[in-house]
């Protein structure tokens, strides 16, 4: 079903110049568009946001400051570029003079075959100009880019060689506001600006699919050829990007990119940084959102275990009104949730006080930029006598949905937190978890390592 | 003017960082009306094709044509060494093998068109593992064998180590997938841009498929976005489909595989199964080794036979084997045709001998580094195939220097102290050597050609037979040419590789790109400088190079020359298993230290120190890059990258999200790389040595360090684990060694 209003031209700023696209397939990626336009610096290395060879930079608002944000252009549908300001690798050098990030990469021997290099340059460029950066560039900012040739050492050297960004057109750009990302409605793509408008579109067009950062849906499109007649982006709904921190809790807008959560949450527990570092990669975190991660209901999503351990609830909004659902009751089956047609996640609420001790563990073949074999979040509050007041054990990758082991929690609550308690939790794991074997790990490993992680959590307790 | 030996950045570095360096698919916009190709994929690992019905595909919007076997004017078989790779098979030999290709205006239309082709199959039984192939007697080669000495020591030695080791394969994961664009050129002939390591063979295969003489086909490789052996022969089929599409439609055709198609359709490093029995003296000297190697060759022969030969040549690594019988056989399975990958069979065999030595050390309660050192080749020793190990003293020199600079002995004590204090986290440190033979083992490949053109203004174009895949060949060639001509590098332009400049070239492979093509460039430059010398002598001392060139032109002296080089003194008799297959050996060693977490099986690479013999480095940044990059690629193969196939023979790890190559988290926190000093290699261009492949095998130090760390959880028991050392394998290895059970019981189901 066609959107109610007439199709509008798609407009955005590309390398400083306005671009008008009259007809765009909503399933065309930004990468395909750029390459067809002759901007072939961005490459397709994997088409699923793993390698970063397609990275470009967006100008984005970062809590009131303007910043460059490196993103995977293979996971942005072209209509999502509407009203954005985008820079590609071709725009960095000026009259033959390389940008600092480019010069450093070249001089350090940071390129061999060169195919991944433009993507690295864009990630490094964004990090070089990161507002508020005082020390050297954070090499973890490049963790979403894969290189098969160099072994990364020279790229690390290039990143560490960069000082403050020069006072140039790019730095001056950061002194001005980022583009406003408002409502858009073009053929096959809608970006409403309110929850209500979004719910309306979903209600009147049963074929419409919700999209947030597209870091999962885009993979479905690129790798599995899945197509949607209409995509409805939540990126224009400012309410979904709100963040608030009060004495009673923390509320995270469901559409806030993961990167911004780390920045906005000022009194975050240490587990947040551990978790974010292991959660996908910077290029993904710059687009991906908690709402998207939870709504896809993947049993191996990294958000659910930690949020379950923090007793999070979800604020849902739709044409039928608003309601709040505990996250523990949100997943109903493999890739299934309580979300109704026309309903979306508006925010995630985390009550305070937070547990005194929270840890997040991720078992994966590769420490950074990988998908969980098993993910676990565990939390413990103890009373002054050392007895467990509150325990939370939440796992991903061990059943059809992420889950909380309530039985295990009850088995230790009121008891001392000791090796005997660990064994009781392990016993529940042994009896109740139902992992599967796949290319990430066997079911035996998933079960045994889940038990082992409880012991690790105990062993690593503050002493 | 000294240009060789200078640390210059990659010749295309500025193009890389600005995005201006072009790769095959970047050229698509230059071909109006370009068609895109998508294959029709068979959903069986083994099946007979009963029928193909493309009627529905033809009416799909945007679809222009369907390529099938009936369209091939020549010989539709692309097998490089044996006639065993039909482009359009009647019998499907691996899951997702293409049976037809759809050409369309867009890739999307081609993909949809391919999904509309109705193919009917009769499924046949499939062989999916090495063991299944052995049981079924399914082989691609006879047994290859090298032997010397008396194996009776196997029965009489103080210690016998026997067992088997399974080694996983490796996906190349060059960042640029296979890509070709073909078009009919201005003269009506076929031209092809191809991401190929072997333009001459790509040309040969296209000519064969089209049934035309090779002079009708021109293949050009601008540069590759990585190759690592994966484009040595496997680029040919894509190029042939593109050329056939042009032949049939008259329009330019692009064949670019998506990552998933590339991983599903192209060959990988061979998985291996090794069965061994070795005898050791009580002081850890290896007295005899019987080794049986099986590789999983996949559906067709490809390069599997020379790869297995290289395994046989390298089962000694750096160790003198007084008595040995090594036998290798390539299994035929219904999988992708496994192919060349950096190291070319050497790494698998070297992992096996290091595994055997490590087990012997644990059984004899000797440090592994002591046993390794005791077994080194000494000057004057010969290999099991009868080649003298020239430069063998460098093994010990490198070993001793590296132990000193890495503070190996001191750090072993620190590691032991750490382990005594930590119950659930243990560290391990290991040092391993590398000796790697340099030359194509097929002697005739060891030739290189060049064509050097100088213009009257003194600017230079260098053409040669090698291809640039990121290994820095063009950077080195530019330095070599500038050095040979006595000009600044900026005067020298290295041209894209084209079959109409230098014909009948060899693949850029076997680490020999610089040795062969660099020497050919030197030959051409010497001819020219020989002619220019008298001209320069007749001019004032202030004459520039351009002045000399202009004067030479006016004196009717040619300013161009062809260069040629063939590696001398190499030969091998495969029947006798004797000869001198390698012109020389490359040497190196690495020390790695890891930390293993028993709770998760995960490890961290804390530090690696490398000392590598690169001869006199032509290009230090390039050489260091090859060492570091090769090492990390080896770390990926041995610890991280796990290729898995499902029960239907489909590659289960067919994407970047399921197949993990090293990222930032695999880089050692401290990474010290040095070259062996005063290491001039006689008889090689500018005294340098090959560096492309040997460093990959330095990563064995990481596998051995993990073994040491796992052993520290136990009480002296032997630690074994298959490769790669994934967290899951290490998690269970730690459990076994903690329980102290079963590890001494070697099961040898098949007597050797």
């Amino acid at each position: 079903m066609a959107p109610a209003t007439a199709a509008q031209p798609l407009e955005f700023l590309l390398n400083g110049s306005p671009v008008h696209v009259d007809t765009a397939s909503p399933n065309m990626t930004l990468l395909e568009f750029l390459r067809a336009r002759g901007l072939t610096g961005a490459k397709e290395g994997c088409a699923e946001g793993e390698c970063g060879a397609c990275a470009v930079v967006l100008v984005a608002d970062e809590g009131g400051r303007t910043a460059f944000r490196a993103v995977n252009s293979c996971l942005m549908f072209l209509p999502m570029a509407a009203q954005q300001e985008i820079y590609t690798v071709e725009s960095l050098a000026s009259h033959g003079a390389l940008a600092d990030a480019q010069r450093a990469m070249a001089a350090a021997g940071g390129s061999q075959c060169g195919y991944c290099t433009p993507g690295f340059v864009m990630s490094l460029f964004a990090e070089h100009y990161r507002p508020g950066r005082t020390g050297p560039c954070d090499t973890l900012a490049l963790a979403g880019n894969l290189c098969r040739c160099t072994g990364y050492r020279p790229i690390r050297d290039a990143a560490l060689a960069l000082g403050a960004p020069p006072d140039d057109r790019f730095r001056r750009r950061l002194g001005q506001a980022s583009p406003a990302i408002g409502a858009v409605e073009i053929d096959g793509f809608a970006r409403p600006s309110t929850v209500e408008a979004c719910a309306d579109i979903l209600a009147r067009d049963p074929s419409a699919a919700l999209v947030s950062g597209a870091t999962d849906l885009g993979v479905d499109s690129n790798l599995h050829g899945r197509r949607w007649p209409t995509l409805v982006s939540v990126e224009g709904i400012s309410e979904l990007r709100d963040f608030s921190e009060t004495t009673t809790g923390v509320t995270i807008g469901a559409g806030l990119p993961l990167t911004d959560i780390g920045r906005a949450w000022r009194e975050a527990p240490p587990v947040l940084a551990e978790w974010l570092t292991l959660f996908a990669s910077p290029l993904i975190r710059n687009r991906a959102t908690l709402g998207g991660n939870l709504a896809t209901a993947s049993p191996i999503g990294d958000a659910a275990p930690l949020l379950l351990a923090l007793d999070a609830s979800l604020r849902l909004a739709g044409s039928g009104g608003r309601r709040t659902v505990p996250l523990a009751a949100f997943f109903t089956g493999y890739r299934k949730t309580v979300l109704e047609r026309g309903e979306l996640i508006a925010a995630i609420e985390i009550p305070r006080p937070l547990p005194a001790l929270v840890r997040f563990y991720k078992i994966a073949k590769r420490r950074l930029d990988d998908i969980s074999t098993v993910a676990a979040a565990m939390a413990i509050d103890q009373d002054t006598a050392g007895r467990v007041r509150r325990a939370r054990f939440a796992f991903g990758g061990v059943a059809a949905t992420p889950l909380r082991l309530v039985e295990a929690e009850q088995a230790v609550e009121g008891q001392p937190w000791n090796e005997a308690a660990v064994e009781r939790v392990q016993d529940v794991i042994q009896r109740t978890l139902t992992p599967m074997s796949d290319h990430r790990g066997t079911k035996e490993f998933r079960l045994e390592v889940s038990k082992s992680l409880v012991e690790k959590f105990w062993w690593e307790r503050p002493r | 003017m000294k240009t060789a030996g200078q640390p210059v950045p990659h010749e295309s570095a500025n193009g890389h960082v600005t995005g201006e360096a072009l790769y095959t698919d970047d050229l698509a916009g230059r071909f109006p009306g370009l068609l895109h190709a998508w294959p029709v994929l068979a959903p069986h690992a083994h099946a007979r094709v009963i029928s193909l019905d493309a009627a529905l595909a033809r009416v799909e919007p945007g679809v222009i044509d369907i390529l099938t076997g009936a369209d091939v004017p020549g010989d539709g078989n692309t097998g490089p060494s044996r006639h065993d790779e039909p482009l359009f098979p009647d019998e499907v030999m691996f899951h997702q093998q293409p049976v037809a290709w759809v050409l369309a205006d867009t890739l999307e239309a081609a993909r949809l068109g391919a999904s509309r082709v109705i193919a009917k199959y009769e499924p046949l039984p499939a062989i999916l593992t090495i063991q299944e192939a052995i049981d079924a007697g399914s082989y691609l080669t006879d047994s290859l064998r090298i032997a010397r000495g008396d194996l009776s020591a196997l029965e009489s030695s103080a210690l016998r180590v026997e067992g088997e080791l399974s080694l996983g394969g490796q996906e190349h994961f060059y960042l640029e997938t296979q890509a070709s664009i073909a078009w009919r050129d201005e003269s009506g002939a076929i031209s092809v841009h191809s991401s190929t390591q072997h333009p001459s063979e790509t040309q040969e295969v296209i000519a064969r498929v089209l049934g035309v003489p090779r002079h009708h086909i021109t293949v050009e490789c601008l540069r590759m976005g990585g190759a690592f052996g994966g484009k040595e022969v496997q680029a040919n089929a894509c190029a042939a489909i593109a050329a056939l599409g042009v032949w049939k439609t008259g329009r330019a055709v692009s064949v670019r595989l998506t990552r998933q198609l590339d991983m599903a359709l192209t060959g990988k490093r061979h998985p291996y199964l090794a069965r061994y029995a070795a005898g050791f003296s009580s002081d850890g000297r290896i007295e005899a080794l019987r080794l049986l190697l099986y590789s999983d060759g996949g559906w067709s022969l490809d390069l599997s036979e020379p790869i297995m030969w290289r395994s046989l040549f390298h089962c000694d690594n750096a160790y003198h084997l007084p008595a040995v019988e090594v036998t290798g056989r390539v299994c035929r399975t219904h999988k992708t045709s496994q192919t060349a990958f950096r190291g070319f069979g050497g790494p698998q065999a070297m992992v096996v001998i290091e595994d055997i030595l490590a087990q012997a050390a644990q059984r004899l309660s000797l440090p592994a580094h002591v046993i390794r050192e005791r077994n080194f080749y000494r000057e004057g020793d010969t290999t099991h195939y009868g080649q003298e190990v020239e430069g063998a003293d460098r093994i010990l020199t490198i070993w001793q220097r590296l132990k000193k600079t890495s503070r190996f002995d001191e750090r072993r004590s620190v590691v032991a102290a750490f382990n005594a204090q930590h119950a659930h986290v243990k560290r391990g440190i290991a040092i391993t050597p590398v000796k790697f033979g340099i030359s194509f083992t097929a002697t005739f490949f060891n030739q290189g050609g060049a064509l050097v053109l100088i213009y009257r203004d003194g600017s230079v174009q260098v053409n040669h037979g090698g291809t640039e895949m990121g290994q820095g060949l063009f950077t080195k060639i530019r330095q070599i040419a500038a050095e040979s001509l006595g000009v600044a590098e900026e005067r020298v332009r290295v041209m894209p590789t084209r079959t109409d400049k230098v014909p009948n070239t060899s693949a850029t492979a076997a680490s020999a790109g610089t040795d062969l093509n660099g020497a050919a460039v030197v030959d051409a430059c010497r001819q020219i400088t020989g002619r220019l010398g008298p001209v320069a002598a007749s001019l004032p001392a202030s004459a520039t190079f351009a002045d000399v060139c202009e004067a030479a032109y006016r004196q009717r002296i040619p300013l161009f020359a062809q260069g040629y080089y063939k590696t001398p003194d190499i030969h091998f008799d495969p029947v006798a298993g004797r000869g001198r297959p390698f012109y020389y050996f490359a040497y190196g060693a690495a020390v790695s230290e890891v930390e293993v977490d028993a709770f998760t099986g995960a490890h961290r690479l804390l530090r690696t120190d490398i000392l590598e013999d690169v001869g006199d480095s032509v290009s230090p940044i390039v050489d260091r890059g090859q060492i570091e990059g090769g090492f990390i690629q080896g770390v990926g193969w041995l610890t991280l990258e796990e290729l898995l196939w499902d029960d239907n023979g489909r590659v289960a790890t067919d994407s970047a999200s399921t197949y993990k190559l090293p990222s930032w988290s695999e880089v050692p926190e401290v990474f010290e790389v040095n070259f062996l000093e005063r290491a001039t290699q006689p008889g090689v261009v500018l005294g340098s040595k090959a560096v492309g492949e040997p460093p990959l095998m330095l990563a064995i130090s990481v596998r051995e360090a993990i073994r040491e760390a796992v052993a520290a959880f136990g009480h002296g028991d032997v630690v074994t684990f298959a490769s790669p050392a994934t967290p899951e394998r290490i998690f269970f290895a730690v459990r076994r060694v903690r329980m102290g059970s079963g590890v001494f019981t070697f099961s040898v189901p098949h007597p050797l």
Side-chain angles (χ1 to χ4, degrees):
Chain A
M1 187 168 126
T5 57
Q8 302 158 3
L10 168 60
E11 296 182 340
F12 56 97
L13 269 180
L14 178 59
N15 295 337
S17 302
V19 169
H20 305 262
V21 184
D22 288 329
T23 54
S25 155
N27 294 303
M28 179 185 237
T29 66
L30 175 60
L31 174 64
E32 288 164 343
F33 173 82
L34 293 172
R35 291 183 59 79
R37 225 179 138 80
L39 296 171
T40 56
K43 314 293 186 195
E44 181 181 300
C46 71
E48 56 174 333
E50 285 271 339
C51 78
C54 64
V56 300
V57 154
L58 306 181
V59 179
D61 173 70
E62 218 176 70
R65 282 202 290 211
T66 302
F68 295 119
R69 281 266 171 106
V71 302
N72 290 304
S73 64
C74 76
L75 293 184
M76 268 183 75
F77 295 108
L78 179 59
M80 299 175 91
Q83 301 167 350
Q84 301 270 11
E85 183 175 346
I86 297 166
Y87 291 93
T88 70
V89 72
E90 287 86 355
S91 70
L92 299 196
S94 172
H95 306 295
L98 300 181
D100 288 356
Q102 294 173 310
R103 197 178 309 117
M105 279 284 284
S111 70
Q112 286 186 20
C113 86
Y115 204 77
C116 70
T117 312
F120 269 103
V121 165
M122 296 315 285
S123 288
L124 184 54
F125 167 79
E127 170 63 13
H128 187 213
Y129 286 81
R130 173 163 55 89
R133 178 174 69 82
T134 48
C137 287
D138 181 0
T139 55
L140 283 179
L142 310 179
N145 297 83
L146 291 177
C147 170
R148 189 53 153 165
C149 296
T150 63
Y152 302 97
R153 191 277 313 161
I155 301 174
R156 183 167 70 188
D157 284 1
L160 296 177
L162 287 174
D167 186 14
D168 63 356
R169 62 198 158 107
F170 291 113
R171 195 153 144 202
R172 285 194 291 278
R173 176 65 192 87
L174 296 184
Q176 292 153 27
S178 60
I181 307 303
V184 170
E185 193 149 356
I186 58 178
D187 256 347
F189 180 86
R191 190 165 71 198
S193 55
T194 65
V195 167
E196 290 68 29
C198 185
D200 276 355
I201 298 172
L202 292 172
R204 74 170 189 257
D205 184 352
S207 69
L210 267 184
V211 59
S212 185
T215 55
D216 189 64
L217 189 130
V219 176
D220 223 7
S221 172
N222 293 349
L223 263 57
H224 309 131
R226 200 158 158 213
R227 300 289 179 259
W228 297 266
T230 306
L231 287 174
V232 184
S233 163
V234 299
E235 203 172 348
I237 307 174
S238 61
E239 176 192 338
L240 264 58
R241 290 206 302 274
D242 285 346
F243 182 94
S244 73
E245 195 174 4
T246 67
T247 50
T248 57
V250 176
T251 304
I252 304 168
L256 191 65
L258 297 172
T259 302
D260 292 302
I261 300 173
R263 180 190 46 71
W265 192 343
R266 300 199 181 278
E267 290 171 44
V271 69
L272 189 80
E274 287 174 16
W275 170 74
L276 276 176
T277 304
L278 299 178
F279 200 135
S281 76
L283 291 170
I284 296 291
R285 295 197 294 271
N286 281 343
R287 295 290 294 166
T289 65
L290 283 186
N293 192 272
L294 295 172
T296 60
S298 164
I300 50 175
D302 284 336
L306 180 64
L307 293 174
L308 284 168
L310 296 177
D311 283 337
S313 294
L314 304 185
R315 274 194 216 159
L316 310 184
S319 39
R322 297 194 176 226
R323 58 178 175 147
T324 299
V325 176
L327 180 58
F330 179 70
F331 303 108
T332 56
Y334 179 71
R335 295 254 182 197
K336 287 198 176 75
T337 71
V338 301
L339 277 174
E340 288 176 12
R341 181 76 213 161
E343 198 173 37
L344 55 93
I345 306 173
I348 294 89
E349 293 179 346
I350 299 170
R352 280 197 151 137
L354 301 175
L357 177 63
V358 192
R359 293 298 301 270
F360 176 76
Y361 298 109
K362 177 166 170 172
I363 303 295
K365 284 183 188 161
R366 190 168 69 196
R367 191 166 64 84
L368 297 175
D369 191 9
D370 198 355
I371 294 168
S372 294
T373 307
V374 170
M378 294 177 242
I380 288 282
D381 270 322
Q382 288 167 276
D383 61 21
T384 48
R387 284 186 299 265
V388 176
R389 269 206 323 244
R390 166 165 65 160
R392 292 291 179 268
F393 303 104
F395 285 85
V398 293
T401 65
L403 49 84
R404 236 182 83 188
L405 295 180
V406 178
E407 186 190 344
E409 294 164 6
Q410 289 168 349
V412 300
E413 275 167 3
Q415 311 283 327
W417 180 227
N418 56 19
E419 280 173 294
V422 168
E423 281 174 23
R424 284 198 294 281
V425 176
Q426 290 176 325
D427 174 62
V428 175
I429 289 173
Q430 179 70 38
R431 284 188 288 105
T432 58
L433 295 192
T434 54
M436 296 194 320
S437 291
D438 66 9
H439 51 266
R440 296 198 170 88
T442 62
K443 58 186 177 190
E444 292 80 10
F445 177 56
R446 285 193 159 104
L447 191 64
E448 291 303 318
V449 84
S450 297
K451 292 192 289 186
S452 179
L453 286 175
V454 181
E455 197 181 342
K456 183 176 173 71
F457 176 59
W458 179 76
W459 186 260
E460 292 179 351
R461 72 198 183 280
R463 282 181 265 194
Chain B
M1 189 172 320
K2 189 72 187 161
T3 51
Q6 297 303 305
V8 300
H10 192 285
E11 163 265 348
S12 289
N14 280 14
H16 294 156
V17 300
T18 55
E20 286 168 9
L22 295 174
Y23 302 78
T24 297
D25 187 55
D26 297 340
L27 306 173
R30 301 174 185 221
F31 295 91
L34 181 71
L35 297 179
H36 301 264
W38 193 278
V40 177
L41 304 171
H44 303 283
H46 190 199
R48 211 177 314 284
V49 182
I50 307 293
S51 62
L52 279 176
D53 178 358
L56 288 175
R58 288 185 193 283
V59 298
E60 178 72 26
V63 168
I64 302 300
D65 215 330
I66 322 285
L67 297 178
T68 68
D71 298 312
V72 176
D75 172 5
N77 199 301
T78 61
S81 41
R82 187 183 282 170
H83 211 67
D84 63 352
E85 292 187 15
L87 258 184
F88 301 98
D90 298 323
E91 184 180 347
V92 172
M93 294 295 284
F94 67 96
H95 203 288
Q96 300 189 70
Q97 184 173 17
V99 295
W101 289 77
V102 175
L103 304 179
D105 289 324
T106 64
L107 196 61
E108 174 93 343
R111 185 177 64 79
L112 290 173
S115 71
R116 298 264 191 267
V117 173
I118 298 167
K120 292 210 169 97
Y121 303 91
E122 177 196 347
L124 298 169
I127 293 170
L128 298 175
T129 65
I130 290 177
Q131 191 57 56
E132 285 174 19
I134 294 170
D135 293 344
S138 172
Y139 297 105
L140 285 161
T141 63
D142 292 332
S143 283
L144 317 179
R145 181 174 173 274
I146 297 174
R148 85 160 160 201
D150 177 5
L151 284 176
S152 62
L154 275 183
E155 311 307 324
S156 57
S157 288
L159 172 71
R160 183 179 164 100
V161 173
E162 57 187 18
E164 67 175 49
L165 177 61
S166 158
L167 294 149
Q170 188 177 24
E171 165 65 38
H172 300 84
F173 215 106
Y174 25 65
L175 261 286
E176 178 208 25
T177 53
Q178 304 279 355
S180 284
I181 293 177
W183 74 99
R184 203 174 272 286
D185 68 22
E186 300 79 355
S187 60
I190 304 272
S191 282
V192 184
H193 279 294
S194 174
S195 183
T196 174
Q197 285 173 254
H198 199 170
S200 287
E201 189 177 82
T202 303
Q203 172 198 34
E204 173 194 336
V205 165
I206 292 169
R208 190 199 303 171
V209 169
L210 298 184
V212 299
R214 292 180 200 173
H215 73 201
H216 200 75
I217 309 295
T218 306
V219 174
E220 173 169 354
C221 177
L222 280 176
R223 61 168 58 75
M224 285 168 276
F228 314 112
K231 296 170 181 172
E232 185 168 346
V233 300
Q234 304 245 338
N236 296 339
C238 287
I241 292 295
L244 182 62
V246 177
W247 188 266
K248 190 168 180 209
T249 67
R251 286 169 67 173
V253 175
S254 160
V255 177
R256 180 186 72 87
L257 301 183
T258 62
R259 178 61 59 189
Q260 278 187 304
L261 283 176
D262 196 298
M263 294 181 81
L265 305 191
T266 68
K268 299 142 201 340
R269 186 190 297 284
H270 292 66
Y272 268 56
L273 175 66
R275 294 190 170 132
Y276 54 82
F280 286 84
S281 66
S282 56
D283 65 350
R285 282 173 214 279
I286 189 163
E287 294 175 330
L289 170 67
R290 183 176 282 142
L291 174 61
L292 195 48
L293 295 172
Y294 296 99
S295 69
D296 182 344
W299 71 284
S300 70
L301 185 60
D302 194 277
L303 296 168
S304 297
E305 187 160 338
I307 287 167
M308 181 54 84
W309 272 118
R310 189 167 276 270
S311 297
L312 302 193
F313 291 134
H314 285 80
C315 70
D316 58 346
N317 190 10
Y319 310 110
H320 181 247
L321 308 175
V324 56
E325 180 187 40
V326 54
T327 310
R329 203 156 184 199
V330 181
C331 295
R332 173 168 162 159
T333 61
H334 294 100
K335 289 185 186 155
T336 55
S337 186
Q338 316 317 3
T339 190
F341 195 148
R342 205 174 196 169
F344 206 74
Q348 291 93 330
M350 288 161 67
V351 170
V352 173
I353 188 68
E354 295 298 345
D355 207 274
I356 292 170
L357 288 172
Q359 289 184 51
Q362 287 172 328
R363 297 271 298 275
L364 294 168
S365 297
L366 285 167
H369 70 98
V370 170
I371 284 211
R372 292 196 163 101
E373 185 175 331
R374 275 187 193 157
N375 284 288
F376 281 162
Y377 279 116
R378 311 284 155 163
E379 205 65 41
D381 284 346
T382 58
T383 64
H384 50 300
Y385 45 89
Q387 174 163 0
E388 187 184 336
V389 188
E390 288 171 41
D393 56 341
R394 288 191 185 184
I395 300 173
L396 192 59
T397 303
I398 288 170
W399 189 261
Q400 288 171 340
R401 283 191 198 168
L402 182 64
K403 278 177 73 181
K404 195 170 168 194
T405 58
S406 67
R407 297 184 294 110
F408 180 77
D409 293 326
E410 180 190 333
R411 283 168 58 207
R412 277 191 82 226
S413 311
V414 174
V415 163
F418 176 92
N419 290 344
Q421 288 166 2
H422 292 81
H424 301 293
V425 179
K426 302 284 187 190
R427 291 183 177 170
I429 183 169
I431 178 168
T432 57
V434 169
K435 165 186 130 286
F436 194 78
I438 301 300
S439 290
F440 287 96
T441 54
T443 302
F444 65 90
F445 280 133
N446 294 285
Q447 53 177 315
L451 176 64
V452 175
L453 314 175
I454 303 183
Y455 297 88
R456 287 160 58 192
D457 64 353
S459 64
V460 182
Q461 284 186 350
V462 175
N463 301 274
H464 61 92
T467 53
E468 175 64 32
M469 61 196 90
Q471 85 282 38
L473 174 62
F474 280 28
T475 311
K476 287 184 170 180
I477 291 285
R478 193 174 182 214
Q479 288 176 279
I480 289 168
E483 178 89 13
S484 302
L485 294 170
V487 300
E489 268 185 275
E490 292 67 37
R491 279 190 190 273
V492 179
R493 181 175 167 212
V494 183
M495 305 301 291
T497 315
R498 291 178 60 110
T499 55
D500 58 359
K501 291 292 180 66
V502 180
N504 311 318
T505 53
S506 295
T508 306
S511 307
T514 304
D515 289 13
L516 300 176
N517 299 293
V521 167
V522 169
D523 177 40
C525 291
R526 279 200 185 133
Q527 295 171 46
I528 296 171
T529 53
R531 292 177 212 147
L532 292 181
V535 179
S538 69
L539 296 176
S542 60
T544 64
F545 185 69
D547 295 336
V548 176
C549 292
E550 177 66 24
Y553 167 74
R554 288 176 180 278
Q555 291 174 35
R556 297 187 293 175
I557 290 170
L559 286 168
F560 61 100
Q562 60 177 27
Y564 185 75
Y565 174 80
K566 60 178 177 178
T567 313
D569 306 327
I570 49 174
H571 51 87
F572 181 71
D573 175 356
V575 177
R578 284 290 177 281
R580 187 175 190 272
F582 304 117
Y583 187 42
Y584 62 90
F585 295 103
Y587 301 106
V591 172
S592 289
E593 182 177 345
V594 303
E595 184 174 294
V596 169
D597 181 339
F599 291 121
T600 63
H603 76 271
R604 283 193 308 143
L605 181 49
L606 303 175
R607 173 169 171 174
T608 292
D609 293 71
I610 290 172
L611 184 59
E612 180 73 15
D613 173 13
V614 299
D616 291 337
S617 177
V618 171
S619 199
I621 289 179
V622 167
D623 284 347
R624 185 173 177 190
Q626 287 297 292
I627 294 167
E628 292 171 339
F631 172 79
I632 293 291
Q633 205 167 63
V635 170
W637 173 53
L638 290 172
T639 68
L640 179 67
E641 300 178 36
E642 192 170 27
L643 273 175
L644 296 167
W645 285 265
D646 70 14
D647 293 342
N648 298 316
R650 185 186 172 108
V651 179
T653 47
D654 69 344
S655 63
S657 56
T658 51
Y659 183 83
K660 293 293 168 182
L661 43 145
S663 76
W664 287 83
S665 45
E666 284 61 49
V667 184
E669 291 163 26
V670 179
F671 199 2
E672 294 287 338
V673 174
N674 286 291
F675 304 150
L676 182 68
E677 292 174 347
R678 293 180 297 282
T680 308
Q681 185 68 23
V684 184
V685 61
L686 302 184
S688 68
K689 279 179 108 156
V691 71
E693 290 164 291
L696 182 122
M697 287 144 281
L698 296 168
I700 299 172
S701 61
V702 176
R703 179 177 156 83
E704 292 307 319
I706 291 172
R707 187 197 310 276
E708 296 280 338
V710 172
F713 286 103
H715 311 282
D717 288 331
V718 173
V719 175
T720 59
F721 45 86
S723 183
T726 55
E728 175 164 348
R729 285 215 171 90
I730 297 311
F731 179 83
F732 286 119
V734 169
R735 288 233 162 152
R736 282 196 306 274
V737 77
R738 274 180 158 170
M739 291 189 297
S741 67
V743 284
F744 272 107
T745 320
F746 294 101
S747 66
V748 185
H750 298 266
L752 293 165

